[in-house]
């Protein structure tokens, strides 16, 4: 993929992908509502920015994004992941000691929040489609994932085991390419030392490693050949 403009990375605080792009010579900017890593270049509520886009006269972060740019969105997956199945069936550990009315209210609240997130995701896609902007959306992958059965786009790239491409966690991941296509290069990576899910918190597992980010940017976005590294099977 040829990118003549900027890289806009939505919902990234870590700066991981930003720095990979910068190391490849691109201008990359991180956008998020928080700045826990000190890497967020533009601290904004992206959901509010999406709302403002559909409000006449409101300036938004999307105003300066052009077709020669690339947008990456690590869209929040809390309400899309398969863990929601346990909540909607009242089988989640936090619900087992509550009465049925409490559980029903929890489910109602969860469904309302998921609807908000899903609409915001659809609106982000609508902005990209209307403006002809290139957009890549990342989310976890599973057959029980909400987007697997409820999204008008199919994933362009699916990783069933990120460890084989430089990550410390297996965590299956999918990428949706809108108004662009992934590269076909597939360079094997030497994996990081695997980490156990049992001893790490969910936040750590959600942060993609630099090794995987470098693989994805160079192979699937820039499609640049690089030196083949030994693939160590786990």
């Amino acid at each position: 993929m040829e990118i003549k403009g900027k890289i806009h990375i939505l919902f990234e605080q870590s700066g991981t992908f930003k720095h990979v792009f910068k190391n490849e010579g691109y201008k990359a900017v991180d956008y998020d509502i928080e700045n826990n890593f000190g890497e967020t270049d533009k601290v904004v509520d992206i959901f509010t920015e999406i709302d403002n886009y559909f409000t006449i006269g409101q300036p938004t972060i999307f105003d300066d994004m052009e077709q020669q740019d690339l947008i990456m969105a690590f869209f929040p997956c809390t309400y899309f992941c398969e863990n929601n199945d346990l909540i909607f069936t009242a089988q989640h550990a936090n619900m087992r000691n509550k009465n049925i009315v409490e559980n029903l209210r929890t489910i109602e609240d969860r469904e309302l929040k998921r609807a908000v997130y899903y609409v915001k995701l659809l609106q982000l896609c609508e902005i990209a489609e209307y403006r002809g902007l290139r957009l890549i959306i990342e989310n976890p992958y599973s057959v029980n994932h909400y987007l697997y059965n409820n999204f008008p786009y199919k994933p362009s790239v699916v990783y069933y085991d990120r460890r084989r491409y430089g990550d410390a966690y297996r965590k299956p991941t999918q990428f949706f390419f809108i108004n662009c296509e992934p590269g076909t290069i597939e360079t094997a990576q030497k994996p990081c030392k695997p980490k156990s899910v049992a001893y790490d918190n969910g936040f750590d597992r959600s942060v993609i490693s630099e090794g995987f980010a470098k693989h994805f940017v160079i192979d699937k976005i820039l499609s640049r050949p690089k030196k083949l590294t030994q693939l160590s099977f786990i």
Side-chain angles (χ1 to χ4, degrees):
M1 184 189 307
E2 184 180 16
I3 305 172
K4 296 182 179 180
K6 302 176 183 177
I7 315 295
H8 308 274
I9 308 176
L10 311 184
F11 307 103
E12 182 185 52
Q13 295 184 53
S14 66
T16 304
F17 276 78
K18 176 179 71 175
H19 288 298
V20 171
F21 277 113
K22 284 188 172 182
N23 289 339
E24 294 298 319
Y26 293 90
K27 183 175 182 179
V29 181
D30 271 352
Y31 305 75
D32 198 78
I33 195 171
E34 296 181 343
N35 189 23
N36 296 327
F37 293 80
E39 291 284 354
T40 307
D41 302 295
K42 295 190 177 182
V43 179
V44 294
D45 184 340
I46 298 171
F47 280 11
T48 298
E49 295 294 310
I50 293 173
D51 287 339
N52 288 345
Y53 179 85
F54 294 96
T55 303
I56 297 176
Q58 285 287 346
T60 76
I61 59 173
F62 302 104
D63 295 342
D64 297 325
M65 297 183 185
E66 302 177 352
Q67 293 182 2
Q68 63 183 356
D69 298 347
L70 175 68
I71 306 168
M72 287 197 72
F74 295 87
F75 201 89
C77 62
T78 303
Y79 299 102
F80 300 151
C81 292
E82 60 186 2
N83 185 55
N84 286 283
D85 290 351
L86 297 175
I87 296 175
F88 285 109
T89 57
Q91 299 300 309
H92 195 278
N94 294 338
M95 302 172 72
R96 290 173 185 168
N97 295 323
K98 296 182 180 180
N99 62 49
I100 185 61
V101 172
E102 291 175 314
N103 285 336
L104 289 173
R105 289 175 178 170
T106 296
I107 295 169
E108 291 166 11
D109 179 69
R110 192 78 174 185
E111 178 59 26
L112 290 172
K113 289 178 178 176
R114 182 165 70 177
V116 170
Y117 275 65
Y118 186 50
V119 168
K120 290 294 174 288
L121 176 58
L122 293 174
Q123 289 177 330
L124 176 62
C125 296
E126 185 179 344
I127 293 170
E129 293 285 16
Y130 183 75
R131 297 270 310 280
L133 302 175
R134 293 183 290 188
L135 170 65
I136 300 173
I137 298 168
E138 180 272 344
N139 240 239
Y141 173 85
S142 78
V143 295
N144 292 326
H145 191 278
Y146 188 74
L147 300 184
Y148 183 88
N149 297 303
N150 301 278
F151 199 43
Y153 300 93
K154 298 300 180 185
S156 304
V157 178
V158 176
Y159 291 95
Y160 299 98
D161 190 345
R162 287 194 330 215
R163 296 173 300 178
R164 294 184 180 276
Y165 298 93
D167 209 305
Y169 294 99
R170 175 179 178 272
K171 194 173 182 180
T173 305
Q174 59 188 334
F175 291 88
F176 301 89
F177 281 62
I178 298 174
N179 292 325
C180 55
E181 297 291 337
T184 57
I185 291 178
E186 193 70 39
T187 306
Q189 303 293 310
K190 185 176 181 180
C192 298
K193 180 180 179 181
K195 293 183 180 179
S196 170
V197 171
Y199 297 103
D200 289 302
N201 60 51
F203 183 78
D204 289 338
R205 294 196 302 276
S206 70
V207 177
I208 296 176
S209 72
E210 180 183 355
F212 180 85
K214 186 174 181 179
H215 152 74
F216 187 77
V217 168
I218 295 177
D219 279 18
K220 297 304 177 185
I221 297 179
L222 304 179
S223 198
R224 292 178 181 170
K226 60 182 181 297
K227 184 178 179 180
L228 182 68
T229 56
Q230 179 82 26
L231 176 59
S232 175
F233 289 95
I234 298 171

